[in-house]
Amino acid sequence: MALAAPAPAALSPFPGVTASNTPYWLKPRLSGNGHREFVQVSKATKATTTKNAAASGLGLALAGLVGGAMRRMGARSRCKARCAPMQTLTQTKQVKKMKKFQMLRDFLGIGVLLGSFQAAWHILPVFLDLKIAADPSLPMLTESTLPVAKTAIFTGWLAGSVCLRHAMNIFSKEELVVASASGLLLVALATVILPHLTGGSLMVFTMLRFVYGILMNIATVQIVLLQMKMPADRRHQAVVWKNVFYSIVSILVAFACGGPTLNLDWRLEALLWYALPPLLGLCVSFPNWWKTLRSLPSIAKHKLQTSKRSKAYTGRDE
């Protein structure tokens, strides 16, 4: 078997080693320098291969991270695109519920408790005066003198209608309703307490009824405020239902005074129909009614000062 000719030295990777087709068991061992150079080249090749593999793995990992982040961002954007109409719809429903709740609250407070329950103030004196005249601790309030106090109610109503126009120039409708309801609450307490403290004085009781008549003028302002609080398509319905509840309250007052509360003390009856509805109406419709009531003097003072200044400037211009 003939051996192949040795390869040229220029094609050999190692200077001291020649390439041939001789089997490895017949090849002579490499010299010391050739072996070291072969080992060094192998190590360099392995290091380069390891570096390339590490760089490729790092690149693949970064590509995977970037791709995952992009997929998550795409999923979030698609979720937002899908969920945005649902969130808007949910918010719209919540706003509608809040508006509906506020509408019912205003109708219950302003329309019913402060409006329809004024029927008790209109009807109850007829039944209440019978018990007051029969009270032995009030000798001056009799069946012959109490009609004078009833007349004071209508006199106060007339005086209040004259003053109402000036009050509306100073205060807003809400402030007037709060002031009137608070005044009626005080009149109710005074009706129960003052007759016994004054020994049944007819003058004191007549003055109470006069103030009571003044405050009853707020009925028209209360109706206007109720319409302002309601939506445009519910205003007429609110007024109609307010009058319906007024009739129902009138029936209840007449029925209660002639039946279940006939033998009840007149003071408890007055507190039940006079004091309780205004108090509940203020708490339901005007949660900050006490703060509003305390601010009325400062509002009136500021308004009067402003009107005086405007009049002074007008006089200077003339």
Side-chain angles (χ1 to χ4, degrees), residues 55-73:
S56 300
L58 182 61
L60 291 174
L62 291 176
L65 291 175
V66 172
M70 293 297 291
R71 285 194 297 270
R72 287 194 294 271
M73 291 177 63

Side-chain angles (χ1 to χ4, degrees), residues 103 226-239:
M103 181 185 68
L226 177 63
Q227 291 179 327
M228 291 173 59
K229 293 288 185 178
M230 294 293 108
D233 57 340
R234 298 293 181 88
R235 291 174 182 173
H236 298 294
Q237 297 178 7
V239 175

Side-chain angles (χ1 to χ4, degrees), residues 124-130 143 145-156 202 205-206 209-210 212:
L124 194 61
V126 177
F127 301 98
L128 206 63
D129 288 357
L130 298 175
E143 293 182 358
T145 58
L146 284 174
V148 178
K150 290 179 183 177
T151 306
I153 296 175
F154 299 97
T155 307
L202 179 61
F205 196 74
T206 303
R209 290 285 177 87
F210 179 77
Y212 158 25

Side-chain angles (χ1 to χ4, degrees), residues 219-280:
T220 54
V221 180
Q222 175 262 330
I223 293 175
V224 175
L225 180 61
L226 177 63
Q227 291 179 327
M228 291 173 59
K229 293 288 185 178
M230 294 293 108
D233 57 340
R234 298 293 181 88
R235 291 174 182 173
H236 298 294
Q237 297 178 7
V239 175
V240 170
W241 278 106
K242 180 258 181 190
N243 293 329
V244 170
F245 280 108
Y246 179 92
S247 302
I248 294 174
V249 172
S250 302
I251 296 171
L252 289 176
V253 172
F255 172 75
C257 292
T261 61
L262 179 62
N263 298 321
L264 187 67
D265 187 84
W266 69 270
R267 289 172 286 270
L268 296 177
E269 199 169 19
L271 289 176
L272 175 64
W273 294 108
Y274 281 166
L276 187 59
L279 180 60
L280 293 178

Side-chain angles (χ1 to χ4, degrees), residues 20 22 63 147 149 182 185 187 231:
S20 68
T22 305
S182 304
L185 184 61
V187 168

Side-chain angles (χ1 to χ4, degrees), residues 63-108:
L65 291 175
V66 172
M70 293 297 291
R71 285 194 297 270
R72 287 194 294 271
M73 291 177 63
R76 289 176 183 176
S77 61
R78 288 192 298 270
C79 180
K80 287 182 180 180
R82 293 195 197 102
C83 296
M86 297 298 295
Q87 292 177 354
T88 305
L89 182 61
T90 304
Q91 293 176 357
T92 304
K93 289 182 178 180
Q94 291 178 354
V95 170
K96 287 183 178 179
K97 286 182 180 179
M98 290 298 295
K99 288 183 178 180
K100 187 175 181 180
F101 175 74
Q102 186 64 36
M103 181 185 68
L104 294 176
R105 184 175 176 177
D106 291 334
F107 177 76
L108 177 62

Side-chain angles (χ1 to χ4, degrees), residues 181-192:
S182 304
L184 289 174
L185 184 61
L186 291 177
V187 168
L189 296 176
T191 302
V192 173

